[in-house]
Amino acid sequence: MTDTEEKIIRIAAKGDGVTASGRYAWGAAPGDTLCADGTLLPGPHHVTPPCRHFGQCGGCQLQQLDEESLADFVAARVSNASSAQELGAELIAPPHLSPPGSRRRASLRAESSQGRVVIGFREARSHRLVELSECPVLRPEIVAVLPNLRKLLIKLGQSQPKKGKGKPGKHAHAKLAADIEVTVTDQGIDLGIKGLSAEGLMLTELLLDFARDHALARLTLDAGYGPDTVWEPEPVSITLSGVAVPFPPGAFLQATADGEAALVAAAKEWLAGCATVADLFAGLGTFAFALAGPETKVLAAEAERAAHMACKAAVARTGLPVHTAHRDLFRNPLMPDELSRFSAVLLDPPRAGAREQVERIAESTVQRVVYISCNPASWAKDAAMLVDAGFVLRELRPVGQFRWSTHVELASLFVRQA
């Protein structure tokens, strides 16, 4: 190696390779050589990306990493967040990585130009779309429906009213722009299209034929006033810890069943034997149904009304010891006296964290806290408040369910010192 060549020693938080001198290189892996002209000589951890769109599509940043270095990246994102706030984690478990082809939900974009429709993710640092012809991250049944969905959207796009003062004519239709939500549910694919309308018998029949031909679980259209169900032959549900829960259109769901299982397993292990648990930001009940049982009663608090009602309906049907509460925990967090009635608290907030709620937990007498997070940076700031209040960070479990992405999740256990 010459003076103008440097080894890549680590992968930074946004996915770039970094040398000891601080030079950055996109698409690098640990052990690669960065030359003076910016080119890379692949090292022992550099593999051929499995997707033809890698480097253009902004969905993945790390397909050049082998399994070992990908696991190291996920672990480092979590451990670095912990050490940055001096949390003193007693144990950081090996990372859990979800396998390829396991992501069960996706938010895609569809746009048209001159009669051609593109469906995919945006390019990195660009508004341009990459047309997906394959995706090794998504469940195969999601990828399989895209080609015919493009054809459907062309016909729908031609029916949309054109804005502005253009003269009516053969091509006087709006340029199509729609958001596509796809989720694999118990009944099959739940497909939501936002930004389009379908008025008239012909278009309605077109949608129904598409849904029937592709055995969709549900098809919804949202023209700007909320989702309108076009097709749903039987109520759509998602099974959480053996409980079939109604699945509202667009509801939050862990990205992979595999990643969900890893997070749930951690919560069940850490909270075994707790008589009462407050599940905060409970969503559909991902953790509530896993924890509830003969020895454990659970409060499931959630602000989003549709998710709350779905969880409540599942509780009513199963009779599990779960009490549901419709509550905005940002504006109205559980107070210390309310929290002190519970043996433990589990929280799984949005990416911004839950500062107000964590402050109240720190002021309570709760002895055990399980914090699930999809953002190590906001988690670390919240965790510092718990540590300052006398909690010890007993264990951290990194989870990489957004495979080949810099997006990392974690499960953590805090126990109050005696």
Side-chain angles (χ1 to χ4, degrees), residues 98-231:
S98 291
S102 62
R103 185 167 175 180
R104 60 183 173 182
R105 64 175 175 87
S107 298
L108 303 168
R109 180 71 175 173
E111 294 179 356
S112 71
S113 178
Q114 299 179 343
R116 181 173 177 270
V117 171
V118 175
I119 303 176
F121 298 110
R122 296 199 183 278
E123 292 183 10
R125 297 176 292 277
S126 171
H127 290 294
R128 291 190 298 270
L129 285 182
V130 176
E131 183 170 1
L132 289 187
S133 58
E134 64 180 26
C135 182
V137 174
L138 297 177
R139 291 269 294 261
E141 56 264 53
I142 294 179
V143 180
V145 80
L146 297 182
N148 287 328
L149 178 59
R150 290 187 184 95
K151 298 177 183 178
L152 173 69
L153 292 178
I154 289 174
K155 296 177 181 178
L156 289 178
Q158 292 171 348
S159 73
Q160 305 306 300
K162 185 176 181 180
K163 297 179 181 179
K165 299 181 179 181
K167 295 181 179 180
K170 182 178 179 181
H171 300 290
H173 53 77
K175 181 178 179 181
L176 181 146
D179 294 313
I180 311 296
E181 293 285 340
V182 191
T183 305
V184 179
T185 69
D186 294 343
Q187 292 75 25
I189 289 181
D190 177 19
L191 175 63
I193 304 174
K194 184 177 182 179
L196 295 181
S197 60
E199 298 180 1
L201 180 60
M202 184 178 70
L203 291 179
T204 300
E205 289 180 342
L206 186 71
L207 290 168
L208 292 174
D209 288 343
F210 179 86
R212 187 182 302 109
D213 292 345
H214 294 83
L216 297 186
R218 178 169 56 202
L219 173 61
T220 60
L221 285 185
D222 185 348
Y225 306 99
D228 181 24
T229 300
V230 177
W231 168 268

Side-chain angles (χ1 to χ4, degrees), residues 240-265:
L240 302 173
S241 297
V243 177
V245 182
F247 187 71
F252 173 79
L253 187 66
Q254 292 292 341
T256 68
D258 171 86
E260 176 186 284
L263 296 170
V264 166

Side-chain angles (χ1 to χ4, degrees), residues 333-336 339 347 354-364 382 385-386 389 416:
L334 264 67
M335 302 307 288
L339 293 161
L347 66 159
R355 180 180 179 84
E356 295 83 1
Q357 185 60 83
V358 171
E359 287 177 344
R360 305 291 85 77
I361 294 172
E363 296 167 356
S364 73
D382 288 348
M385 290 188 286
L386 295 176
R416 194 184 292 272

Side-chain angles (χ1 to χ4, degrees), residues 328-342:
D328 186 339
L329 297 172
F330 291 107
R331 297 183 179 183
N332 185 25
L334 264 67
M335 302 307 288
D337 60 331
E338 296 175 284
L339 293 161
S340 296
R341 303 169 189 166
F342 294 92

